[in-house]
Amino acid sequence: RRDGVCFLSVKLDDVVTQEIIWAEKQKFDYVLPEQQYRQLSIRIILSVVSIIEKSELDRYNKLYQDPNAYYWYLTGKREIDKFDLPKLRQARQSFKNALTASPDFVPALSGIARTMQKEWLMLARSEKDILIEGEQIAKRAAPTDPDDERPLRELGTISMYLGKFDDSLEYFDLGETINPQHADLLADYADALNHYGHLELSLEKIEQAIKLNPLAPDYYYWVGAGTLHDLDRYQEA
């Protein structure tokens, strides 16, 4: 309480460094009805999202000096998950536009590599030229920003399709070390582990991914169901 008014103090901490990343106070009535709780939640969410967005933009502006790269990356990301070849190629063009603005923009390089492996899957190609090209692009991206796990995710998946099993797991493991909360990476890691017969670990990774991303896409559950099936846990599958 302060001057007869109640405040709720909210803080976001880095658990490793104990640094306070974000802090804010929100006013509320002492008796907190459901409607006000909802409004309070929305205000907190919007504030956190705003801070994350600003931090992302500041980081990329500092690294690449061109906000157009980030804009085109977001445009490509909007289309990349649709199971539609024209949309996939449209996403690739957006990522290329980002590279025109900033030639070493790692998220866009990773995005291009992802469109290539998805196109290979979508067209069920026997030739692996497009996979090899995607691998080269991801390898170019990885050392450019060692704090970005996205190129390693693409290398893990592409290596799996190329039959480089040890390389695949090594890339996924390194990517998880950099960002253990990247749910999509964990889902792909689980899929790779399933392919290599490491079923218990695969199930652990996909359950972790679903916990991190409760509004997970169907793909997560497909991976989880496949792993449970291979473990002979048919009812759960």
Side-chain angles (χ1 to χ4, degrees):
R1 290 177 178 272
R2 186 191 302 160
D3 300 327
V5 179
C6 291
F7 292 89
L8 176 66
S9 177
V10 188
K11 290 191 295 183
L12 182 65
D13 295 337
D14 184 320
V15 294
V16 176
T17 65
Q18 300 302 311
E19 176 191 2
I20 298 173
I21 297 168
W22 167 85
E24 188 172 282
K25 285 188 172 67
Q26 295 281 354
K27 283 197 295 186
F28 68 96
D29 296 332
Y30 189 66
V31 179
L32 197 62
E34 183 183 346
Q35 180 63 29
Q36 188 168 354
Y37 177 83
R38 219 169 15 244
Q39 291 173 354
L40 190 64
S41 300
I42 290 169
R43 289 207 302 271
I44 291 169
I45 289 165
L46 290 176
S47 179
V48 172
V49 168
S50 170
I51 290 294
I52 291 171
E53 183 181 43
K54 182 180 183 303
S55 298
E56 281 276 273
L57 283 171
D58 285 349
R59 175 168 178 258
Y60 289 126
N61 285 344
K62 195 181 298 178
L63 283 172
Y64 303 103
Q65 305 297 323
D66 195 332
N68 286 325
Y70 193 61
Y71 164 80
W72 281 113
Y73 164 69
L74 293 178
T75 302
K77 194 165 167 55
R78 187 175 58 202
E79 307 292 352
I80 196 171
D81 289 326
K82 295 172 182 171
F83 198 76
D84 181 306
L85 191 57
K87 292 287 185 187
L88 190 64
R89 288 174 174 169
Q90 189 177 323
R92 187 182 303 154
Q93 185 56 52
S94 294
F95 293 137
K96 287 180 177 179
N97 291 344
L99 295 180
T100 300
S102 292
D104 295 320
F105 189 53
V106 171
L109 288 167
S110 302
I112 291 172
R114 188 151 200 84
T115 63
M116 288 177 168
Q117 48 135 316
K118 290 188 77 164
E119 181 171 327
W120 181 81
L121 273 179
M122 208 176 287
L123 296 178
R125 289 180 173 174
S126 55
E127 309 86 11
K128 295 187 176 179
D129 294 358
I130 195 169
L131 281 179
I132 293 167
E133 186 180 352
E135 180 185 40
Q136 291 168 348
I137 290 169
K139 281 183 174 178
R140 170 188 157 195
T144 304
D145 186 356
D147 293 328
D148 194 325
E149 75 287 351
R150 280 169 285 203
L152 296 167
R153 177 193 176 197
E154 306 315 326
L155 285 168
T157 305
I158 290 171
S159 294
M160 178 178 71
Y161 295 146
L162 290 172
K164 302 176 181 179
F165 303 135
D166 291 339
D167 288 351
S168 173
L169 294 183
E170 190 175 329
Y171 285 131
F172 279 125
D173 190 54
L174 184 54
E176 184 185 13
T177 302
I178 293 170
N179 186 356
Q181 295 187 346
H182 188 159
D184 288 345
L185 181 146
L186 290 173
D188 286 347
Y189 195 175
D191 188 38
L193 287 163
N194 177 288
H195 278 78
Y196 309 148
H198 303 312
L199 301 179
E200 294 289 352
L201 188 54
S202 172
L203 188 61
E204 181 184 316
K205 296 294 182 191
I206 199 62
E207 286 176 344
Q208 189 181 350
I210 292 170
K211 186 177 178 182
L212 286 166
N213 186 3
L215 298 176
D218 294 347
Y219 167 68
Y220 286 33
Y221 296 102
W222 179 265
V223 172
T227 302
L228 286 164
H229 179 274
D230 292 343
L231 284 165
D232 300 330
R233 292 162 62 176
Y234 302 119
Q235 192 64 39
E236 291 173 85

